[in-house]
């Protein structure tokens, strides 16, 4: 038997002799294999990954053989497209595998290095293909139509060509495109800097739990502590976490400013009016969709503040503090759930989507798509990621709560969306816009919670479910719109030449928070630093968060139809999942029955929120078990 490395032996001894360390986050080696994803289908070894990296580096120069020839013939154009797809697929496999390995434990510098190496390789692919778009767009429409008509295989790229041609006003010369491609790697480092600080370097010390035991404060435990019935625990966790970000405020502000300046640079270089337009234009999403969302919600924050006032009264406190925002109105009915129990709860909730969906759901666990338990160094939060040729992997940090059950449904929605898309669409349409991405996951959540609400006859269960649903409404809809509001204003400051200092960002965040939450909650002075801990603000795609709100609105409508109409509506939803990137996202969602170019879905979503508030008030007014005493 091979001996364990010394650090792992020491960890075993510590777990035996230290009672306080029993609550320590485990090293990855001690997590059961069935709860960890299996990446061997991508690469069996690091050597295999290195071999593909060599193959990619050798292939990139061949792209130049197509330069200047795209309008030579339909055959050459088709070959060039397919070769570019081969390069991008290979670069994607290398990048995602290295990223997934790195996210398992971000203290492992080897995979951090591989991830950085893959990012640089992706930039070289973009540089090698820099000629492609300018040259394609230089082909007259009549000549392109002739090439397509005369060549078998090109017709399937109709939407690909349409997307490319609409980019003509914002595509530069080949030399300038190559220069921007070279700049993409260094200007993408701000996200990785934040990730390194947030997931590997930042620590939050220790605190005392409900039993008075000293335990390590982590981001995963922070979420659990915020739902504690002990107000002292909630406050200690909130302050412990926020103080750590506040201490790094100047560094995080400088990093965020650099990120936004990079986005502004690319937008200006291409001739866009703003980074917002640059983000929305490729997917044909009008800027008005973004601004109308913010304006409509800003004008209708009354229900949100009413919900917070209901929570304050139910908690029996004079003032709702920021650490009370997730305090349970009802003592948790579902707590310390096993992962197996959570799996089955989700499966029952998603049953309206049909047997094929549920069979695939269970198959994913057998094939180990999921990485579900926390370990030291593991990336925080939950996400789904994969490539066209890989399994649709997802990660979370399961802790046995009802919230974790819904996170499981959410992330699996992303992964099954990817599965249906990639089993149906060719590579060129084998992914989907971020605008559509959250629809699948949030529809899963809505189906699950609606089914549970319909089936329960227990008041405590109903209170727990209503509280969960309303909190998810607040988090995925109202909160994300406030984030989108902040993000838009932060970009505007940079694009206007204003500095984004720590103080400037704190002031901006405090103003936005006040606009949405009003006097319903008292904002601690540290709350103004919350901007510094939101990873989505530094996503390479940018302007990500608004899509949570638009997707939530679409998902609310789709789930309602599926539950009311049954199989026909479910099949229409599955067809949306199968569509991938075969059309513009606004059109895909419209085909599914929701028009996001109007304020209608936003107002309808707020109306659903108000109906849930009435149900909550009714449940609270009923006799029986009293709500949890969480006032401390």
């Amino acid at each position: 038997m091979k001996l364990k490395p010394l650090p792992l032996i020491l960890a075993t001894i510590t777990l035996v002799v230290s009672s306080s360390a029993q609550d320590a986050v485990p090293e990855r080696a001690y997590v059961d294999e069935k709860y960890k994803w299996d990446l061997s289908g991508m690469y069996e070894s690091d050597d295999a990954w290195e071999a593909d990296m060599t193959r990619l580096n050798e292939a990139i120069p061949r792209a130049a053989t197509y330069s200047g020839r795209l309008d030579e013939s339909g055959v050459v154009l088709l070959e060039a497209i397919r070769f570019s797809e081969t390069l991008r697929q290979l670069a994607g496999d290398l990048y995602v595998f290295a990223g997934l390995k790195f996210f398992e434990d971000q203290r492992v510098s080897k995979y951090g290095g591989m991830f950085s190496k893959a990012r640089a390789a992706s930039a070289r692919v973009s540089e090698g293909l820099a000629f492609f778009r300018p040259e394609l767009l230089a082909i007259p429409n009549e000549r392109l139509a002739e090439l397509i008509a005369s060549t078998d295989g090109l017709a399937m790229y109709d939407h690909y060509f349409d997307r490319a041609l609409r980019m003509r006003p914002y595509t530069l010369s080949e030399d300038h495109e190559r220069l921007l491609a070279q700049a993409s790697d260094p200007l993408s480092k701000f996200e990785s800097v934040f990730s390194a600080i947030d997931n590997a370097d930042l620590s939050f010390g220790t605190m005392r739990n409900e039993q008075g035991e000293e335990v390590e404060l982590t981001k995963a435990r922070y979420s659990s502590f915020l739902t504690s019935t002990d107000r002292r625990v909630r406050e200690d966790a909130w302050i412990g976490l926020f103080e750590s970000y506040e201490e790094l405020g100047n560094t995080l502000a400088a990093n965020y400013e650099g990120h936004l300046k990079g986005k502004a640079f690319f937008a200006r270089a291409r001739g866009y009016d703003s980074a917002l337009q640059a983000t929305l234009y490729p997917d044909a999403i009008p800027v008005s969709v973004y601004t109308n969302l913010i304006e409509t919600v800003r004008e209708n924050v009354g229900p949100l503040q009413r919900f917070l006032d209901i929570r304050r009264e139910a908690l029996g406190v004079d003032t709702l503090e920021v650490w009370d925002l997730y305090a349970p109105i009802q003592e948790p009915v579902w707590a310390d759930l096993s992962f197996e129990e959570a799996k089955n709860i989700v499966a029952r909730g998603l049953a309206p989507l049909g047997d094929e969906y549920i069979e695939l759901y269970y198959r994913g666990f057998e094939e180990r798509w999921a990485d579900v338990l926390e370990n030291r160094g593991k990336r925080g939060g939950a996400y789904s990621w994969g490539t066209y040729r890989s399994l649709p992997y997802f990660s979370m940090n399961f802790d046995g709560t009802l919230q974790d059950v819904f996170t499981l449904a959410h992330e699996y929605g992303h992964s099954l969306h990817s599965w249906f898309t990639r089993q149906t669409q060719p590579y060129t349409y084998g992914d989907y816009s971020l605008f559509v991405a959250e629809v699948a996951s949030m529809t899963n959540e809505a189906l699950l919670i609606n089914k549970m609400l319909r089936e329960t006859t227990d008041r405590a269960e109903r209170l727990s479910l209503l509280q969960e649903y309303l909190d998810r409404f607040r988090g995925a809809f109202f909160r994300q719109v406030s984030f989108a509001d902040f993000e838009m204003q932060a970009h505007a400051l940079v694009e206007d030449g204003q500095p984004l200092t720590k103080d400037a960002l704190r002031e901006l965040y405090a103003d936005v928070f006040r606009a949405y939450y009003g006097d319903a909650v008292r904002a601690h002075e540290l709350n103004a630093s919350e901007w510094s801990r939101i990873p989505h603000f530094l996503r390479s795609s940018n302007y990500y968060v608004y899509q949570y709100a638009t997707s939530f609105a679409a998902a609310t409508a789709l789930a309602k139809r599926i539950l009311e109409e049954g199989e026909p509506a479910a099949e229409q939803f599955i067809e949306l999942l199968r569509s991938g990137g075969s059309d513009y996202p606004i059109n895909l969602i419209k085909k599914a029955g929701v028009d996001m170019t109007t304020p209608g879905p936003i107002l309808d979503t707020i109306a659903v929120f108000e109906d849930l508030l009435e149900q909550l008030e009714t449940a609270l007014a009923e006799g029986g078990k009293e709500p949890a005493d969480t006032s401390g």
Side-chain angles (χ1 to χ4, degrees):
M1 182 180 71
K2 185 177 179 181
L3 294 176
K4 294 179 181 178
L6 182 58
L8 298 187
I9 295 175
L10 291 176
T12 304
I13 294 172
T14 303
L15 287 173
V16 172
V17 303
S18 173
S19 61
S20 64
Q22 290 177 2
D23 287 324
V25 178
E27 295 290 342
R28 187 169 181 82
Y30 289 105
V31 177
D32 193 314
E33 291 296 310
K34 69 180 180 180
Y35 298 123
K36 297 189 286 192
W37 51 35
D38 178 9
L39 303 181
S40 63
M42 294 191 73
Y43 289 101
E44 292 184 355
S45 67
D46 296 346
D47 288 342
W49 184 91
E50 292 289 355
D52 257 6
M53 178 61 75
T54 299
R55 188 159 68 93
L56 176 64
N57 286 329
E58 291 174 349
I60 291 173
R62 289 174 48 201
T65 63
Y66 294 101
S67 180
R69 300 179 55 210
L70 295 189
D71 66 345
E72 183 178 306
S73 69
V75 171
V76 170
L77 178 58
L78 181 60
E79 285 180 359
I81 291 172
R82 289 178 173 170
F83 180 72
S84 70
E85 290 179 342
T86 297
L87 288 183
R88 295 190 188 281
Q89 283 191 68
L90 186 53
D93 288 341
L94 291 165
Y95 182 76
V96 171
F97 176 81
L100 291 173
K101 291 296 293 182
F102 182 47
F103 293 158
E104 291 177 354
D105 184 347
Q106 294 187 98
R107 301 169 302 168
V108 181
S109 59
K110 174 183 180 181
Y111 291 114
M114 288 170 61
F115 195 28
S116 180
K117 187 175 178 180
R119 182 183 291 109
S122 294
R124 289 196 298 277
V125 168
S126 296
E127 183 182 350
L129 295 172
F131 72 90
F132 203 99
R133 180 184 289 177
E135 195 170 319
L136 176 63
L137 299 188
I139 301 175
N141 289 346
E142 298 78 6
R143 174 59 175 163
L144 182 59
E146 178 185 323
L147 295 174
I148 294 172
S150 65
T151 309
D152 290 340
L154 278 180
M156 66 166 283
Y157 290 96
D158 278 348
H159 182 57
Y160 166 86
F161 289 131
D162 185 60
R163 282 179 58 93
L165 294 177
R166 75 184 308 273
M167 299 304 295
R168 273 179 173 152
Y170 305 107
T171 301
L172 308 181
S173 68
E174 179 181 340
D175 286 344
H176 288 156
E177 287 292 334
R178 182 173 291 107
L179 183 62
L180 291 185
Q182 290 172 346
S184 66
D185 182 41
L187 289 180
S188 70
K189 294 298 183 182
F190 299 104
E191 182 181 4
S192 58
V193 168
F194 175 81
S195 182
I197 293 172
D198 194 40
N199 295 296
D201 295 340
L202 197 62
S203 62
F204 309 106
T206 62
M207 60 171 285
R208 296 198 176 278
N209 62 16
E210 291 88 341
Q211 292 74 41
E213 301 166 333
E214 186 173 356
V215 296
E216 181 181 3
L217 176 60
T218 67
K219 283 184 287 185
R221 286 175 176 169
Y222 167 77
S223 298
S224 296
F225 287 142
L226 277 194
T227 61
S228 172
T229 58
D230 187 328
R231 200 180 199 192
R232 190 271 308 165
V233 169
R234 298 196 301 268
E235 181 178 356
D236 288 353
W238 190 93
I239 290 178
L241 187 98
F242 273 67
E243 281 182 340
S244 296
Y245 285 98
E246 171 70 13
E247 289 173 2
L248 291 175
N250 291 314
T251 298
L252 294 171
N255 190 62
Y256 185 45
E257 182 184 42
H259 173 71
L260 296 194
K261 284 185 173 180
K263 294 303 175 184
F265 162 74
F266 281 114
R268 286 196 304 269
R270 293 192 179 281
Y272 289 104
D273 295 333
S274 65
L276 177 59
Q277 185 200 13
T279 301
L280 302 183
Y281 185 85
D283 283 327
I285 298 171
V287 171
S288 61
V289 169
Y290 193 103
T291 55
N292 285 341
L293 170 69
I294 292 173
E295 291 168 4
T296 302
V297 174
R298 266 189 175 248
E299 293 171 359
N300 292 275
V301 293
L304 169 63
Q305 296 176 14
R306 175 184 163 200
F307 173 46
L308 298 179
D309 201 47
I310 292 172
R311 170 166 263 136
R312 179 190 59 76
E313 291 182 3
L315 296 179
V317 296
D318 294 331
T319 302
L320 194 72
E321 305 285 356
V322 284
W323 46 80
D324 296 325
L325 287 174
Y326 297 93
I329 293 172
Q330 163 69 43
E331 282 191 35
V333 176
W334 294 272
D336 298 323
L337 289 166
S338 71
F339 189 70
E340 297 304 317
E341 290 173 318
K343 281 167 50 178
N344 293 330
I345 291 172
V346 172
R348 290 194 297 272
L350 302 184
L353 293 177
D355 292 342
E356 179 187 8
Y357 195 93
I358 298 304
E359 289 171 6
L360 186 58
Y361 170 87
Y362 278 114
R363 174 181 162 185
F365 292 113
E366 294 171 3
E367 296 179 354
R368 290 172 54 198
W369 300 1
D371 202 275
V372 298
L373 301 182
E374 185 180 17
N375 60 254
R376 293 190 69 82
K378 181 179 176 181
R379 176 178 171 170
Y383 58 92
S384 173
W385 205 19
T387 70
Y388 186 75
R389 293 183 288 203
S390 80
L391 294 174
Y393 298 105
F394 71 92
S395 173
M396 63 180 294
N397 292 299
F398 184 81
D399 197 38
T401 66
L402 180 61
Q403 185 177 16
D404 289 331
V405 174
F406 285 96
T407 298
L408 174 61
H410 182 105
E411 295 307 330
Y412 223 135
H414 285 309
S415 289
L416 290 173
H417 188 181
S418 297
W419 175 270
F420 279 108
T421 289
R422 291 163 189 168
Q423 293 298 306
T424 308
Q425 298 295 332
Y427 173 78
T428 193
Y429 307 132
D431 207 346
Y432 39 84
S433 165
L434 291 173
F435 194 80
V436 176
E438 296 297 335
V439 173
S441 55
M442 291 182 176
T443 300
N444 274 12
E445 290 186 69
L447 287 173
L448 174 58
I449 204 156
N450 273 287
K451 183 173 178 64
M452 294 176 78
L453 276 171
R454 289 184 180 195
E455 292 181 349
T456 186
T457 58
D458 182 82
R459 175 177 177 268
E461 288 185 359
R462 176 167 294 278
L463 276 172
S464 289
L465 289 167
L466 286 169
Q467 169 185 277
E468 178 68 26
Y469 202 1
L470 286 161
D471 274 334
R472 297 190 88 78
F473 245 99
R474 183 175 65 82
F477 185 71
F478 289 104
R479 179 173 162 85
Q480 300 305 320
V481 176
S482 73
F483 284 170
D485 197 338
F486 167 83
E487 190 172 14
M488 181 176 68
Q489 294 189 54
H491 272 280
L493 288 173
V494 165
E495 290 164 355
D496 192 42
Q498 302 297 316
L500 280 192
T501 62
K502 171 185 171 181
D503 289 342
L505 287 164
R506 281 176 52 84
E507 181 179 355
L508 174 58
Y509 191 86
D511 288 344
V512 171
F513 189 88
R514 191 177 305 109
Y516 288 81
Y517 293 88
D519 296 327
V521 60
R522 182 161 61 191
H524 189 280
E525 63 178 359
L526 287 174
N527 193 66
S529 293
E530 187 171 26
W531 63 267
S532 66
R533 59 174 295 264
I534 308 302
H536 287 319
F537 288 163
L538 282 103
R539 287 183 65 94
S540 57
S541 56
N542 230 26
Y543 282 111
Y544 182 90
V545 291
Y546 87 98
Q547 293 160 117
Y548 276 104
T550 53
S551 293
F552 195 94
T556 300
L558 289 170
K560 186 173 185 291
R561 289 190 58 220
I562 292 167
L563 290 171
E564 292 177 352
E565 301 173 21
E567 185 176 345
E571 182 52 42
Q572 191 173 21
F573 173 71
I574 298 296
E575 188 58 34
L576 172 64
L577 305 188
R578 291 192 178 106
S579 298
S582 60
D583 199 352
Y584 293 111
I586 285 283
N587 296 338
L588 290 174
I589 295 179
K590 188 178 292 187
K591 290 175 186 176
V594 182
D595 185 359
M596 295 307 302
T597 64
T598 72
I602 307 302
L603 293 171
D604 290 345
T605 299
I606 295 172
V608 171
F609 184 79
E610 289 183 288
D611 178 66
L612 290 168
L613 284 180
E614 292 178 6
Q615 293 184 47
L616 178 65
E617 288 179 315
T618 299
L620 285 169
E622 291 175 354
K625 183 182 176 184
E626 291 298 318
D629 179 6
T630 64
S631 59

